[in-house]
Amino acid sequence: EVQLVESGGGLVQPGRSLRLSCTAAGFTFGDYALSWVRQAPGKGLEWIGFIRSKTYGGTTEFAASVKGRFTISRDDSKNIAYLQMNSLKTEDTAVYYCSRDVYYDTTGYSNWYFDLWGRGTLVTVSS
Amino acid sequence: QSVLTQPPSVSGTPGQRVTISCTGSSSNIGAGYDVHWYQQLPGTAPKLLIYGNHNRPSGVPDRFSGSKSGTSASLAITGLQAEDEADYYCQSYDISLRDWVFGGGTKLTVL
């Protein structure tokens, strides 16, 4: 079955760190970029970062809200992507989803969408 | 405040047609970037509904359709069913922010 499964969420104190995992199955993991998207309680979706496939350098991009605090890595041999979250704040409380990214070009515009999502893992930042 | 603006809620009765708008600007939808739509049923993860403005992934009923014009996009649902009750999000890319951006979401209620 084609799927993504997040794990590693939980309760953490402000200022501490947490690492989330996203385990893939049923497709060639290394061929795809992967994003992390979060959803605060009762709120909408917020893209926070992604990692390109190794073919495209395996580089990362982040939203301003987490840049400098969060990092993303991947281990294609294990079909896992990681979201390392440092210096956590109460406003980082959310369900964190990983998603598989699809890229295509239209007359010079680079478009991305998220075609497969995990069920999410809840991160609660509280003292 | 989301970069892409959606109505907070829409409603309709079974069998009706409803539309959900997604308004952007010259730095995202108006710049030429495509719009994608996601459906989030209560208590579940988002699911891709429409990609590339109007394309449906395999398995999505043709009751769902998308369109884009200028700085806006729309999602239309015809033959409304109770199971369509969900939150709907549009998504695009913003060249000024250099970020993938979502609309604030629209809650669809089937009366």
Side-chain angles (χ1 to χ4, degrees), chain A residues 24 29-30 54 74-82:
Chain A
F29 180 76
K54 290 289 172 56
R74 63 189 298 158
D75 184 341
D76 291 351
S77 69
K78 296 181 179 178
N79 290 351
I80 299 179
Y82 301 100

Side-chain angles (χ1 to χ4, degrees), chain A residues 37 39 43-47 50 52 61-64 97 104 106 109-120, chain B residues 31-36 38 40 44-48 51-53 87 89 91 93 98-104:
Chain A
V37 177
Q39 186 171 34
K43 302 296 184 182
L45 302 173
E46 178 191 15
W47 173 84
F50 93 126
R52 295 177 177 86
E61 305 288 346
F62 294 94
Y97 297 101
Y104 64 97
T106 52
Y109 293 95
S110 300
N111 292 281
W112 295 85
Y113 62 89
F114 314 115
D115 77 328
L116 178 68
W117 296 66
R119 293 185 177 183
Chain B
Y33 292 99
D34 287 352
V35 178
H36 321 288
Y38 303 86
Q40 186 174 32
T44 70
K47 167 194 163 187
L48 180 66
Y51 67 94
N53 302 322
D87 293 324
Y89 295 89
Q91 175 248 319
Y93 181 76
R98 295 182 183 273
D99 280 355
W100 286 266
V101 291
F102 286 94

Side-chain angles (χ1 to χ4, degrees), chain A residues 54-75:
Chain A
K54 290 289 172 56
T55 301
Y56 291 92
T59 52
T60 55
E61 305 288 346
F62 294 94
S65 58
V66 304
K67 194 174 293 184
R69 299 189 298 124
F70 290 11
T71 60
I72 300 174
S73 59
R74 63 189 298 158
D75 184 341

Side-chain angles (χ1 to χ4, degrees), chain B residues 2-106:
Chain B
S2 301
V3 173
L4 304 179
T5 301
Q6 298 180 233
S9 64
V10 297
S11 63
T13 56
Q16 218 175 16
R17 178 181 188 270
V18 297
T19 61
I20 298 173
S21 61
C22 175
T23 302
S25 68
S26 58
S27 64
N28 41 69
I29 300 175
Y33 292 99
D34 287 352
V35 178
H36 321 288
W37 291 89
Y38 303 86
Q39 177 192 59
Q40 186 174 32
L41 297 170
T44 70
K47 167 194 163 187
L48 180 66
L49 194 65
I50 297 286
Y51 67 94
N53 302 322
H54 56 81
N55 302 294
R56 285 185 308 276
S58 172
V60 173
D62 59 7
R63 302 185 296 104
F64 295 89
S65 62
S67 63
K68 172 190 161 183
S69 178
T71 59
S72 296
S74 288
L75 172 71
I77 309 171
T78 58
L80 200 60
Q81 299 180 4
E83 66 208 49
D84 299 332
E85 192 160 282
D87 293 324
Y88 293 84
Y89 295 89
C90 60
Q91 175 248 319
S92 187
Y93 181 76
D94 191 283
I95 191 66
S96 295
L97 297 173
R98 295 182 183 273
D99 280 355
W100 286 266
V101 291
F102 286 94
T106 298

